[in-house]
Amino acid sequence: MTNRVEQVMGLPISLDLRDEGDFAEVVDDVFAWFRDVDARFSPFKEDSEVSRYDRGELTAAELSEDLLEVLELCAYYEQLSGGAFRARLPGRGLDPCAVVKGWAVQRAADMLKAEGATTFCLNAGGDVVTAGEPEPGRPWRVGVRHPEQPLAVCAVLESRNGAIATSAAYERGSHILDGRSGAPATGLMSVTVVARDLVTADALATAAFAMGPEGITWAADRPDCEILVVDDSRRVHRTAGLALAS
């Protein structure tokens, strides 16, 4: 069993690993991976690959396979959301962070599974990937922060072998912009998406939040996803298949 927390990529990342055995090396590799992702993909670091590409110091042919994959994901979700999700806005630099976090955490979870880990919860600032059950017949319980009360939760979700991501304005203010207008997103207080992987959950949550009220139905219509949304009128919207903890 292993518990580890580090501040990486500007947020706390924690791992609760319940498997018996020696997983010290892969756990070290996981947190080294997060530090590497931060160094290469942060638009806030002048020497990152993202920043160098944005300044024209690297051509598309010179980019790493990882960054090419991230940019392809950004383009996919931009198209899927009708432009509400956008990694590059007029007058702003390239910022793929809305894809990078979910992509990096899901890759880390895959690293753990590849080394035989079967039961863990990997949490990156509230965006979570789970595997297995911490106790037989009992899934992981994941709290969704209340959008107005920092010490409260608005729901507790059950999760087995899946991912949960929440987009909201409570941590960083109005940082999510509607790519169609360039203005801060309005109409929703928080969007939580449950999906099979964190790339999907994180990108859909951000896109739906950026879309505003129309994002509720849009996200609910995505295949193999469940949602929990709090709108600006404090109404709660959720899909029927959302697994609430009893």
Side-chain angles (χ1 to χ4, degrees):
M1 299 177 67
T2 302
N3 281 281
R4 184 159 167 181
V5 182
E6 288 191 18
Q7 188 80 14
V8 194
M9 302 194 299
L11 62 148
I13 301 180
S14 65
L15 172 63
D16 182 352
L17 176 65
R18 299 297 179 90
D19 293 279
E20 300 294 340
D22 185 3
F23 290 91
E25 184 174 351
V26 68
V27 170
D28 286 343
D29 289 345
V30 160
F31 283 91
W33 160 251
F34 288 135
R35 291 189 291 272
D36 180 58
V37 167
D38 190 35
R40 291 195 291 141
F41 293 89
S42 173
F44 309 108
K45 297 181 185 295
E46 290 189 3
D47 60 345
S48 72
E49 185 179 4
V50 165
S51 295
R52 292 173 64 206
Y53 177 57
D54 194 39
R55 292 195 299 267
E57 296 171 9
L58 295 173
T59 67
E62 296 173 307
L63 298 183
S64 67
E65 291 185 6
D66 285 343
L67 183 51
L68 288 172
E69 181 180 347
V70 165
L71 294 177
E72 287 175 3
L73 286 167
C74 289
Y76 171 75
Y77 285 104
E78 179 178 336
Q79 183 276 328
L80 189 67
S81 67
F85 179 104
R86 198 180 295 269
R88 189 191 295 274
L89 290 163
R92 291 174 175 259
L94 175 65
D95 183 356
C97 289
V99 161
V100 167
K101 182 171 71 167
W103 171 83
V105 176
Q106 186 60 53
R107 178 77 68 86
D110 293 343
M111 291 166 61
L112 290 165
K113 292 177 181 178
E115 294 300 319
T118 62
T119 309
F120 61 83
C121 179
L122 186 57
N123 186 332
D127 291 348
V128 176
V129 178
T130 64
E133 297 178 336
E135 297 177 11
R138 179 185 175 190
W140 293 96
R141 294 164 61 89
V142 179
V144 178
R145 177 176 158 172
H146 193 288
E148 295 181 297
Q149 301 175 32
L151 301 180
V153 297
C154 62
V156 178
L157 306 182
E158 294 183 345
S159 182
R160 297 179 180 88
N161 301 308
I164 300 172
T166 298
S167 288
Y170 48 66
E171 285 289 354
R172 295 167 54 194
S174 300
H175 69 286
I176 300 176
L177 306 180
D178 183 342
R180 299 166 297 186
S181 65
T186 59
L188 304 178
M189 298 180 73
S190 71
V191 176
T192 298
V193 175
V194 180
R196 294 177 178 175
D197 65 90
L198 195 57
V199 176
T200 301
D202 202 15
L204 290 182
T206 302
F209 191 94
M211 294 172 77
E214 67 182 281
I216 299 172
T217 301
W218 177 83
D221 286 343
R222 297 304 104 200
D224 302 315
C225 291
E226 304 294 340
I227 68 164
L228 175 70
V229 178
V230 181
D231 66 24
D232 275 359
S233 298
R234 296 170 178 80
R235 292 173 298 194
V236 177
H237 310 259
R238 65 183 178 92
T239 46
L242 189 72
L244 295 171
S246 55

